[in-house]
Amino acid sequence: MLISSSQVFAAPVEIKFSHVVAENTPKGQMALKFKELVEQRLPNEYQVNVFPNSQLFGDNNEVAALLLNDVQFVAPSLSKFERYTKKLQIFDLPFLFSDMEAVNRFQQGESGQKLLGSMKRKGIVGLGYLHNGMKQLSASSPLLLPTDASGKKFRIMASDVLAAQFQAVDAIPVKKPFSEVFTLLQTRAIDGQENTWSNIYSKKFYEVQSYITESNHGVLDYMVVTSNTFWKSLPADKRAIIKTALDEAVAYGNEIAAAKVNKDKETIVASKRSEIIQLSPEQRQQWVTAMKPVWSQFEAKIGKNLIQAAEASNK
Ligand code: LMR
């Protein structure tokens, strides 16, 4: 049998997956599972290298790097695509989804699936959603009522909806990349931030924030994206195998996300570094009343029908 030199010497094609969180998170674990599955199913053909913790690219440049084909997969939070589409702003509307089941129903429904293609004209292909969870409010002082946030500086992801959400309670939103949050909190350059239990735990925010209000006021989920250029460059049969591996890795990541909500919260509680504040229904209602007007500010850009479809998933 003749073996061509390309078969003997061809090095595996490198696929880079860059992200900003720690490895012990839903996204970190999903990326590693993706690596494992692709390399198992396409041995010697593809090698997936995962770069966590903003090691390779951070919030400010990961999507630009994707479009330059310097990285082939990224999974930014849905709040970070504002430059590429306004439609995904829907996920940042405060108090829109009642829980993660509602978020999932919306993402898997017709509108959610359509949103995966919302950045096509920009050359970005949405391959699927990955869960992290609902956001909580952490701060250096207790937050029970919206007035407690007044005048305080909160780090936010680069999203105008999130800026409006904090302005609605007279707080000062500060857009900063995820990689800078711990230091900003530790040095008291900012007073607080919003994030999921797994990010608050894995990045040790709870060690430098005395209070965490369990507000569940919004969602922090991801879209796994690749570039149209890279995706189309793959042979169809390999692309199908890689997509199946990704779908399985996402399902695995979603299981971890669901487990981490309680697990990481309990570890934080047990550490006694941060006091967890539970809101009474009346207190929570005050946050809803203060923040919900943000919806109407963004309704025209997001689309009323889309907001209604999202609300309909709360059943
Ligand atoms: C954040 O910036 O707070 C999050 O989007 C980080 C992440 O990717 O979970």
Side-chain angles (χ1 to χ4, degrees):
M1 188 179 66
L2 280 175
I3 296 175
S4 77
S5 58
S6 67
Q7 274 173 300
V8 174
F9 298 115
V13 175
E14 185 188 25
I15 296 177
K16 290 185 184 145
F17 193 140
S18 168
H19 66 82
V20 300
V21 292
E23 285 191 328
N24 59 338
T25 55
K27 186 159 58 180
Q29 292 295 302
M30 178 279 279
L32 291 174
K33 177 59 84 181
F34 177 61
K35 171 184 173 65
E36 179 193 317
L37 295 176
V38 169
E39 292 180 359
Q40 205 176 70
R41 293 169 191 179
L42 296 168
N44 308 320
E45 288 185 80
Y46 291 89
Q47 180 176 336
V48 179
N49 291 326
V50 181
F51 300 88
N53 294 310
S54 312
Q55 242 170 46
L56 191 60
F57 298 108
D59 282 340
N60 289 339
N61 56 5
E62 63 179 6
V63 180
L66 183 84
L67 291 171
L68 290 171
N69 206 24
D70 287 340
V71 59
Q72 286 69 44
F73 289 91
V74 291
S77 103
L78 294 163
S79 316
K80 294 177 184 169
F81 289 107
E82 211 167 70
R83 285 173 55 194
Y84 305 96
T85 175
K86 301 289 179 214
K87 296 278 168 205
L88 294 174
Q89 288 183 325
I90 185 143
F91 290 100
D92 282 342
L93 295 179
F95 298 103
L96 174 58
F97 296 103
S98 50
D99 51 30
M100 289 308 290
E101 283 72 39
V103 173
N104 196 58
R105 275 194 292 271
F106 176 68
Q107 290 174 347
Q108 298 311 320
E110 199 187 324
S111 310
Q113 290 299 299
K114 227 168 118 189
L115 287 176
L116 291 174
S118 59
M119 296 178 285
K120 202 171 160 199
R121 280 194 306 172
K122 307 278 177 182
I124 299 169
V125 183
L127 296 171
Y129 295 100
L130 172 73
H131 296 317
N132 186 328
M134 301 299 278
K135 290 180 292 186
Q136 320 302 336
L137 287 167
S138 78
S140 46
S141 57
L143 301 174
L144 287 143
L145 295 173
T147 45
D148 296 331
S150 175
K152 302 251 153 50
K153 286 189 191 142
F154 286 86
R155 176 270 173 171
I156 57 164
M157 298 180 269
S159 152
D160 288 346
V161 179
L162 298 179
Q165 171 194 271
F166 280 102
Q167 279 156 355
V169 294
D170 297 322
I172 305 153
V174 187
K175 289 180 182 172
K176 289 285 179 187
F178 187 60
S179 57
E180 292 177 24
V181 182
F182 180 84
T183 305
L184 289 167
L185 295 171
Q186 190 184 37
T187 58
R188 297 283 180 112
I190 53 170
D191 301 292
Q193 62 90 45
E194 53 167 15
N195 232 306
T196 59
W197 289 114
S198 76
N199 280 343
I200 294 172
Y201 170 63
S202 59
K203 285 293 178 188
K204 300 192 190 318
F205 298 162
Y206 70 101
E207 293 189 0
V208 288
Q209 291 275 267
S210 304
Y211 302 92
I212 303 171
T213 300
E214 188 159 35
S215 52
N216 290 314
H217 63 281
V219 60
L220 197 165
D221 266 13
Y222 307 108
M223 191 183 284
V224 186
V225 293
T226 186
S227 70
N228 195 42
T229 316
F230 171 71
W231 203 231
K232 289 281 138 52
S233 76
L234 293 170
D237 56 335
K238 311 290 180 206
R239 188 163 60 224
I241 293 171
I242 291 171
K243 176 66 167 65
T244 305
L246 183 73
D247 291 345
E248 290 176 32
V250 164
Y252 176 75
N254 284 343
E255 279 172 30
I256 290 177
K260 276 190 160 291
V261 173
N262 287 327
K263 200 166 154 269
D264 289 354
K265 178 180 145 189
E266 278 160 21
T267 313
I268 293 170
V269 172
S271 78
K272 297 196 165 55
R273 298 292 291 263
S274 195
E275 186 183 321
I276 313 294
I277 298 172
Q278 304 289 344
L279 298 175
S280 69
E282 294 75 25
Q283 287 168 335
R284 190 165 193 274
Q285 186 53 47
Q286 288 204 36
W287 289 90
V288 176
T289 307
M291 288 179 162
K292 220 170 149 177
V294 167
W295 294 23
S296 56
Q297 283 180 49
F298 291 88
E299 191 182 276
K301 278 184 185 160
I302 297 171
K304 200 171 178 156
N305 291 347
L306 199 57
I307 297 178
Q308 281 167 351
E311 279 193 285
S313 63
N314 288 328
K315 48 167 173 15

